Amino acid sequence: RMLSGYKPKNDVQDSYKLLELEEGCSLDDVRNSYHNLAKKYHPDSSSGMADSRAFIRVEEAYRVVLSDLAAKQKSDPGEEEEDQFKSKSLQHRHYLSFEGVGIGTPSQREKQYMQFRVDRATEQVLEYRQQRLESRYAGSDLSRAKDVRQSKKVKITQAVERLVEDLIQESMAKGDFDNLSGKGKPLQKFSHSPHIDPMTHNLNRILIDNGYQPEWILLQKEIRETIERLRKSIVASRRKLGGQMTLSEQKQWGRICEQFAEDIRKLNKRVDNFNLVVPILSRQMVHFSTDKEILRARKTYEAVMEKVSDSDRKESEGEEGKRFGWKSSLLKWLKL
């Protein structure tokens, strides 16, 4: 705007010298010289000689030289008409305008213009695919093509959503969704709580119905099954060795305890992984202690042995009662 209302004051000869030209040069020479000097002195250029005042003088000289060439062309009937010398939008101005898109510095406007071009190209691709679908299914089913055309009017910004939407629309055009149960009926809501997003709740419900479980639940289940298996195995190993262990059996029990300690160490690493992914702080687990687990196994073994001894004693008493039971019954009959 500042340059459009500025009136040139330099004369013609100084303007030619400023543009590094001689009188009688062609219009292409004038334009090439002006473009080179504009790149050199323009404030927005990355040149080390950028100077706004020098650029204003160069543009002023360029306008003076253009008007001089136009006057010479007008006086010479053999040349082209004066219309080609009319002031046009300068090349650097056209480059910096970015089709009127964006605000801010030139670099910011350039980024916004690139995003605008990407969006425009995406819309063109969608329009092309829409026309291809319309031409393919226009003769078979006009109503179906109408639904596809209406669905394409929805603007989808994200790339993944655009891809999913295109696949869905292609399946709709092929008729893959025509035989679905409950077509045309509203979706059944699984919750009446107004604080829960219906879409999120329905997706979670679908995942649960298909057996999906979060990672931390699977890890918790695996840890519990592993510790139960280790406890049963060490109790079974202790029962195989018997009550009074010999020297060799004590060595064997020591090796079993060492292997048990290694298994507990590996299990504690799984506990650490579980604590990193569990979303609830109160659900975190503590490490298993090898000494406590071995002591627990010993108490379990002692309790099992006491039950076995009690059952054996009761069985022996029952056999003795059966053996001498007929004598006691005979004495009671005689007394009666």
Side-chain angles (χ1 to χ4, degrees):
R1 293 177 181 177
M2 178 185 67
L3 298 177
S4 61
Y6 189 81
K7 296 182 179 180
K9 298 180 181 179
N10 293 346
D11 54 2
V12 178
Q13 294 181 354
D14 294 338
S15 299
Y16 276 105
K17 291 181 180 180
L18 188 59
L19 293 178
E20 300 177 357
L21 297 172
E22 296 180 357
E23 295 186 8
C25 60
S26 62
L27 181 60
D28 294 335
D29 295 337
V30 176
R31 289 176 177 173
N32 293 333
S33 178
Y34 172 70
H35 292 163
N36 295 331
L37 293 175
K39 293 178 182 179
K40 184 177 180 181
Y41 296 113
H42 197 279
D44 295 336
S45 64
S46 59
S47 175
M49 302 180 66
D51 188 2
S52 59
R53 296 181 180 178
F55 174 72
I56 292 174
R57 289 196 300 269
V58 169
E59 187 172 5
E60 178 184 350
Y62 176 65
R63 294 180 182 275
V64 172
V65 171
L66 282 181
S67 61
D68 181 64
L69 291 177
K72 292 180 180 179
Q73 183 68 23
K74 186 175 181 180
S75 61
D76 189 358
E79 298 293 335
E80 298 179 356
E81 296 180 355
E82 185 183 1
D83 295 339
Q84 63 178 347
F85 298 102
K86 290 183 178 181
S87 177
K88 300 181 180 179
S89 60
L90 305 180
Q91 184 176 359
H92 73 283
R93 291 291 180 183
H94 177 70
Y95 172 75
L96 293 176
S97 63
F98 299 115
E99 300 183 13
V101 177
I103 57 174
T105 62
S107 59
Q108 294 175 351
R109 284 182 285 153
E110 183 178 4
K111 293 180 180 179
Q112 298 172 9
Y113 179 64
M114 293 299 295
Q115 184 64 35
F116 168 75
R117 292 183 61 186
V118 171
D119 297 339
R120 184 170 59 185
T122 304
E123 293 179 358
Q124 293 176 356
V125 170
L126 292 177
E127 291 178 359
Y128 169 75
R129 299 189 69 175
Q130 174 186 353
Q131 295 175 0
R132 186 177 63 179
L133 290 174
E134 290 177 356
S135 61
R136 182 182 301 176
Y137 301 102
S140 60
D141 194 353
L142 295 177
S143 62
R144 190 179 301 164
K146 183 178 180 180
D147 295 338
V148 175
R149 185 168 56 254
Q150 291 178 355
S151 64
K152 288 295 182 180
K153 293 180 181 179
V154 181
K155 293 184 179 181
I156 304 174
T157 57
Q158 301 296 332
V160 177
E161 294 181 358
R162 288 197 298 267
L163 177 60
V164 173
E165 184 68 19
D166 292 341
L167 294 176
I168 292 174
Q169 297 305 326
E170 288 182 2
S171 300
M172 290 176 59
K174 293 178 182 178
D176 296 339
F177 299 154
D178 293 342
N179 299 325
L180 294 177
S181 60
K183 179 182 179 182
K185 299 179 181 180
L187 291 175
Q188 181 181 2
K189 295 185 178 180
F190 303 100
S191 176
H192 300 285
S193 176
H195 305 289
I196 301 177
D197 183 19
M199 179 63 68
T200 304
H201 184 78
N202 292 342
L203 291 176
N204 294 335
R205 182 75 180 191
I206 292 171
L207 292 175
I208 293 172
D209 293 342
N210 287 272
Y212 172 78
Q213 292 181 350
E215 182 183 2
W216 66 275
I217 292 181
L218 296 176
L219 281 175
Q220 187 181 30
K221 183 179 179 181
E222 181 182 357
I223 291 171
R224 290 177 178 176
E225 291 177 353
T226 303
I227 191 62
E228 290 297 330
R229 179 176 53 81
L230 292 176
R231 288 170 178 173
K232 291 180 180 179
S233 64
I234 193 171
V235 172
S237 301
R238 182 64 185 87
R239 290 185 63 181
K240 289 181 181 179
L241 296 177
Q244 297 295 332
M245 293 186 294
T246 62
L247 184 60
S248 59
E249 290 177 346
Q250 290 179 359
K251 292 181 179 179
Q252 185 178 358
W253 173 249
R255 291 192 296 268
I256 293 173
C257 293
E258 291 178 358
Q259 182 63 34
F260 181 76
E262 181 65 20
D263 295 336
I264 291 295
R265 187 182 63 82
K266 294 179 180 179
L267 184 61
N268 288 332
K269 289 185 178 180
R270 296 183 185 178
V271 172
D272 293 337
N273 296 333
F274 169 79
N275 292 335
L276 290 175
V277 298
V278 64
I280 306 174
L281 187 62
S282 60
R283 291 295 185 90
Q284 289 190 347
M285 303 176 65
V286 296
H287 285 185
F288 295 97
S289 175
T290 305
D291 298 335
K292 292 182 179 179
E293 293 297 331
I294 293 175
L295 181 60
R296 179 176 180 174
R298 289 178 180 176
K299 292 181 179 180
T300 304
Y301 167 72
E302 292 175 357
V304 170
M305 294 305 296
E306 288 179 359
K307 289 182 180 180
V308 171
S309 60
D310 292 341
S311 61
D312 293 341
R313 186 173 62 256
K314 289 180 180 180
E315 289 179 359
S316 62
E317 290 177 355
E319 291 178 356
E320 291 179 357
K322 290 180 181 179
R323 185 182 304 173
F324 301 101
W326 64 274
K327 294 182 180 181
S328 60
S329 61
L330 180 60
L331 292 173
K332 289 180 180 179
W333 179 77
L334 291 174
K335 288 180 180 179
L336 292 173

